[in-house]
Amino acid sequence: MPMLLHINSLLAPTTPPRRASASASARPLTQAQAHSARAAALGIRWSPGVAAAAAASPRTPMAVGEECAAAASVASQGFLSDARAYWVTRSLIAWNVNDNETSLFLYASRDATMRMSDGVIQGYDSKIELQPEPASLPDSVAQKFPFISSYRTFRVPSSVDVASLVKCQLAIASFDAHGNRQDVTGLQLPGVLDDMFAYTGPLGAIFSKKDVCLYLWAPTAQDVSVCFYDGPAGPLLQTVQMKELNGVWSVTVPRDWENRYYLYEVKVYHPSTSQVEKCLADDPYARGLSANGTRTWLVDINSETLKPPCWDELSDEKPNFDSFSDISIYELHIRDFSAHDHTVDCNFRGGFLAFTCQDSAGIRHLRKLSVAGLTHVHLLPSFHFASVDDNKSNWKSVDEAELAKLPPGSDEQQASIVAIQEEDPYNWGYDPVLWGVPKGSYASNPDGPSRIIEYRQMVQALNRIGLRVVMDVVYNHLNSSGPFDVFSVLDKIVPGYYLRRDINGQIENSAAMNNTASEHLMVDRLIVDDLLNWAVNYKVDGFRFDLMGHIMKSTMIKAKSALQSLTRDVHGVDGSKIYLYGEGWDFGEVAQNKRGINASQINMSGTGIGSRMDIIKVMKQTPGIGLAGNLKDYVLITHTGEAKKGSEIHTFDGSPVGYTSSPVETINYVSAHDNETLFDIVSLKTPVGLSIDERCRINHLASSMTALSQGIPFFHAGDEILRSKSLDRDSYNSGDWFNRLDFTYETNNWGVGLPPRDKNEENWHLIQPRLENPSFKPSKNHILSVLDNFVNILKIRYSSPLFRLSTASDIEQRVRFHNTGPSLVPGVIVMSIKDAQNERSGMALLDKNFSYVVTVFNVCPHEVSIEIHDLASLGLELHPVQVNSSDALVKQSTYQVSTGRFTVPRRTTAVFVQPRR
């Protein structure tokens, strides 16, 4: 579209949104260190011999003695390296076999001793013939597993003890009419486990006055016991056997065992090794952990000792808003917020408690944004993730004073950062281990109660300065899998269930690694239960779902319903105020509903759940639909003069630009933690000779488009103060140095060296001359000027409900775009929003102060004067906030009543209002 030619050429992203993949995020502990930590937690000495054995086949220390026998067994078990058959219900198995004369047999071995010898399966305990079913998969099964709907179906005899068989090593083999074996494979069990063992009762630790009951869902486990320890690193106290009922293992222990630490010891067949393993795992429903999650802390999350003063009354202090359309979001990484803030107690920097320092530079900054209208702070992952060591004594750091002496385009800074990046305290945290416990590295002490209390203090402190808290949740993948890794939990307890596997039985990795499978009922349940934990126990006000498209739509709907059912009287939480949104990208194995109806942007229309949309990218297709809430039924005039609905205009990949049924379903943004900051992308995309003043104007122009669009605006922390990451395009593991935020406004962090080689080297030839060019570096006055303009644009958004319309019908009735069609003036968007003029106007009166609002976005490098005859004879005047602005240019914006002529200076957003008299 020619209208946005200027700004599109400047701000178009170089790549689609990216995230730091868990596979790319190296862990803070090497494998040997991880086993050493686990061994220490178990009270086992980690000797060089043990280390060598683990290196050859990295088992938990408890299993190392079994190495030799296991090695001999593995070679003969290679025939079960895949799992291409699906046990989908108690009575049905599906496999993609074509020969109608094929007969199938199911083999089971409780001790995993099956092997292939001279083409014959041996070592099994039972062999069961399966009967072919003439019918295809039942509709309910085909809906749950649409990708195997064409598979042939075979019936399991009703006499078979299925509950015992699912605990075994299983194989299925096909034979031709002459009895010759054709094929053999393992089975995927989630379908039958859901059919037989789906469970709605208690899980985790349930406290009563006299005792504590532990419940663990593990239907494939052959045996489960609980190992209790004296403290986070103390010796084993005792091991208690659990009992099973319908797949749930439980035990009751005395209440005075509270505050002990424990691990589950699960004896279970693990398909990744084709052996029965003894796995030591944390509680999936853990509410407390030791450092690095080596043990689960047995804690009553409702204990009064874990609550800050007035915690139970926090719902009465929550900042109010009337509609989700009133929300605006500020995306912030916990460590970024205070790691360099010397107005914060040095013991609090980089952690939860920094938010309680009410007179710090960071809190003063957030308070300023809150007063202007900002409503929500979105915190990047703050649950227990793998990539940062919880023990601060193990952290390594660089000498920042020495790095500051290096040239702005040097590669030495990044080399120093990369050398320690796996042992420093920095990572975004998109590599989950356990979802339900705050991250220990952000707490003053990772053991015991600190992380719980301090997280609550953080939420409380933010609420008290007028900001609600959004938690970034990552349910689409897990850091680790298998029976041995210290960061593997769920896959140790029910192997092959929590993680989504392909048709060969291999774990799907499209969401980074170890994709989870919310189409499985107990995964779905765990996600919803975890959200309720954060909403009730931590009073979190909203949730942002990482790669939401990899989660099933049904899970999202269930989560929304469960959260909105929370009440202040019963739960101490008003669930109707909890907002959900996420990344609705549709890709990988879930694309086009291949695994069931997923939570992609298109599918989420009508749910009231938001998804993120790059507003500049949208407006490259059409200037209006992004500003009008990305509504699928909003009609606008294209540059050819054709009237089209938003759903009839498509992006380059063929998906519709307009996809929402309500403005609260779109999150509008131009910058996020992924990719470059707004200032960096402006600096990278604009001509080298452009002045810093003009770059600042472009920065603000992009932010104003986000702020004044219908829908929910989303801002990356620091974009309002020209934040730079020295042109780093993926700073997930780039340390404090490249991610620095300076709320004293002295610097924007530009020119602190070439960004890390791994993700940026291919662009170093573009980056280096810019970093070395002093004209690119803004002064403190530039930073303050952009901040003033950002605060003003927030004030304008919240000066009128017309900028925050809550329904599609309101937008369709009130919002118009005027510079459209073949005669449009390139580079200018003119958007009007009309309110009721009087009681007989046929629409509700929303704004008591203004009856008309007109916003003119001029992205051109020159002043524009444009006549809009439809807007002549109105009593428009420049918005009072802009009249009083420190921006001299915006104050030059004018409106001529007789002709409807708007004159707006270069690269300026001007807002005109018609006051009610």
Side-chain angles (χ1 to χ4, degrees), residues 579 610-611 613 629-630 659-660 662-668 710-712:
Y579 180 62
S611 58
M613 177 55 70
N630 293 308
Y659 62 91
T660 70
S662 163
V664 303
E665 293 174 355
T666 183
I667 307 293
N668 297 317
Q710 300 295 330
I712 295 174

Side-chain angles (χ1 to χ4, degrees), residues 509-570:
N509 292 318
S510 61
M513 64 184 302
N514 298 309
N515 295 4
T516 54
S518 68
E519 60 269 28
H520 303 160
L521 295 180
M522 296 304 287
V523 183
D524 171 276
R525 178 188 165 172
L526 179 55
I527 291 172
V528 175
D529 286 350
D530 189 67
L531 291 166
L532 291 172
N533 163 52
W534 289 104
V536 174
N537 294 325
Y538 293 94
K539 303 189 188 299
V540 169
D541 304 293
F543 298 94
R544 177 267 188 187
F545 292 77
D546 183 64
L547 295 186
M548 181 175 69
H550 271 59
I551 301 170
M552 292 299 109
K553 178 180 178 179
S554 59
T555 300
M556 295 301 302
I557 298 297
K558 189 180 298 183
K560 180 185 176 185
S561 176
L563 289 166
Q564 295 202 338
S565 69
L566 300 175
T567 65
R568 289 171 62 176
D569 290 342
V570 177

Side-chain angles (χ1 to χ4, degrees), residues 684-706:
L684 194 61
K685 293 287 187 176
T686 52
V688 172
L690 195 69
S691 71
I692 185 62
D693 291 331
E694 294 306 297
R695 289 196 181 92
C696 290
R697 296 201 70 79
I698 294 171
N699 192 102
H700 175 63
L701 185 60
S703 292
S704 68
M705 288 182 173
T706 301

Side-chain angles (χ1 to χ4, degrees), residues 75-90:
S76 64
Q77 294 172 349
F79 76 103
L80 288 183
S81 60
D82 59 26
R84 291 174 281 116
Y86 293 77
W87 199 336
V88 292
T89 69
R90 187 225 167 276

Side-chain angles (χ1 to χ4, degrees), residues 107-414:
Y107 298 81
S109 168
R110 188 171 180 86
D111 296 328
T113 55
M114 273 195 286
R115 61 193 180 278
M116 187 74 72
S117 178
D118 297 327
V120 177
I121 299 174
Q122 297 181 350
Y124 55 84
D125 300 323
S126 58
K127 177 181 178 183
I128 301 159
E129 185 172 8
L130 306 178
Q131 299 302 316
E133 281 283 297
S136 57
L137 284 172
D139 289 344
S140 59
V141 176
Q143 288 173 11
K144 182 166 183 171
F145 303 104
F147 61 102
I148 63 166
S149 58
S150 63
Y151 282 21
R152 286 191 63 198
T153 307
F154 297 84
R155 182 164 293 277
V156 179
S158 58
S159 58
V160 170
D161 183 358
V162 175
S164 295
L165 281 189
V166 296
K167 298 178 183 298
C168 298
Q169 177 191 38
L170 298 172
I172 187 171
S174 60
F175 296 85
D176 64 20
H178 302 290
N180 299 313
R181 183 179 58 78
Q182 298 172 316
D183 199 0
V184 62
T185 189
L187 285 93
Q188 299 189 38
L189 302 182
V192 67
L193 297 185
D194 281 351
D195 187 37
M196 293 187 63
F197 301 106
Y199 170 74
T200 59
L203 289 171
I206 307 300
F207 288 78
S208 66
K209 290 183 178 180
K210 294 183 178 180
D211 49 40
V212 184
C213 295
L214 294 175
Y215 297 92
L216 179 70
W217 187 76
T220 62
Q222 297 180 4
D223 187 67
V224 182
S225 56
V226 194
C227 303
F228 286 96
Y229 303 90
D230 184 13
L236 177 67
L237 293 174
Q238 62 192 103
T239 300
V240 180
Q241 181 67 41
M242 301 184 79
K243 294 183 179 180
E244 183 189 14
L245 179 63
N246 297 328
V248 177
W249 298 78
S250 64
V251 69
T252 300
V253 299
R255 173 74 193 220
D256 61 11
W257 286 20
E258 183 180 1
N259 295 321
R260 288 185 177 185
Y261 287 78
Y262 68 99
L263 289 170
Y264 290 118
E265 184 183 78
V266 182
K267 182 182 178 183
V268 64
Y269 173 75
H270 209 293
S272 69
T273 63
S274 297
Q275 295 184 59
V276 175
E277 306 286 359
K278 279 193 175 180
C279 303
L280 285 161
D282 283 305
D283 191 332
Y285 279 74
R287 296 297 175 250
L289 291 170
S290 64
N292 294 317
T294 55
R295 295 173 180 174
T296 301
W297 185 37
L298 186 60
V299 58
D300 183 357
I301 195 70
N302 296 308
S303 171
E304 294 298 320
T305 63
L306 300 177
K307 298 178 181 179
C310 303
W311 175 250
D312 289 334
E313 290 74 49
L314 184 59
S315 60
D316 299 326
E317 301 182 54
K318 292 279 184 184
N320 191 36
F321 63 93
D322 295 325
S323 165
F324 287 148
S325 61
D326 293 332
I327 291 175
S328 53
I329 300 169
Y330 188 79
E331 181 197 44
L332 180 64
H333 183 257
I334 289 172
R335 185 163 181 85
D336 288 352
F337 175 67
S338 61
H340 285 101
D341 191 343
H342 294 285
T343 65
V344 171
D345 184 305
C346 62
N347 295 312
F348 295 174
R349 290 176 202 161
F352 300 135
L353 287 179
F355 293 90
T356 67
C357 299
Q358 291 297 294
D359 198 37
S360 71
I363 288 295
R364 289 197 300 268
H365 182 81
L366 290 182
R367 190 181 288 115
K368 181 182 298 184
L369 301 185
S370 173
V371 169
L374 188 75
T375 65
H376 286 62
V377 169
H378 160 165
L379 299 175
L380 265 64
S382 52
F383 47 75
H384 177 50
F385 57 82
S387 51
V388 174
D389 194 326
D390 285 347
N391 293 306
K392 296 177 175 59
S393 60
N394 294 333
W395 292 351
K396 292 184 178 179
S397 62
V398 295
D399 186 336
E400 293 195 351
E402 289 301 312
L403 295 187
K405 297 175 184 178
L406 296 171
S410 168
D411 65 354
E412 292 185 47
Q413 296 97 326
Q414 65 86 29

Side-chain angles (χ1 to χ4, degrees), residues 1 3-4 618-650 656-659 811-812 815-822 824 829-831:
M1 289 291 294
M3 177 168 290
L4 283 177
V618 168
M619 292 196 297
K620 287 173 69 175
Q621 313 301 318
T622 172
I625 197 65
L627 295 166
N630 293 308
L631 295 173
K632 62 182 180 181
D633 292 329
Y634 186 86
V635 178
L636 64 156
I637 306 300
T638 69
H639 68 288
T640 64
E642 188 179 3
K644 282 190 174 183
K645 292 182 179 180
S647 60
E648 296 172 338
I649 302 169
H650 295 86
V657 171
Y659 62 91
I811 293 175
E812 291 162 0
V815 177
R816 294 289 179 271
F817 296 91
H818 300 278
N819 180 31
T820 59
L824 62 82
I829 300 173
V830 181
M831 176 180 68

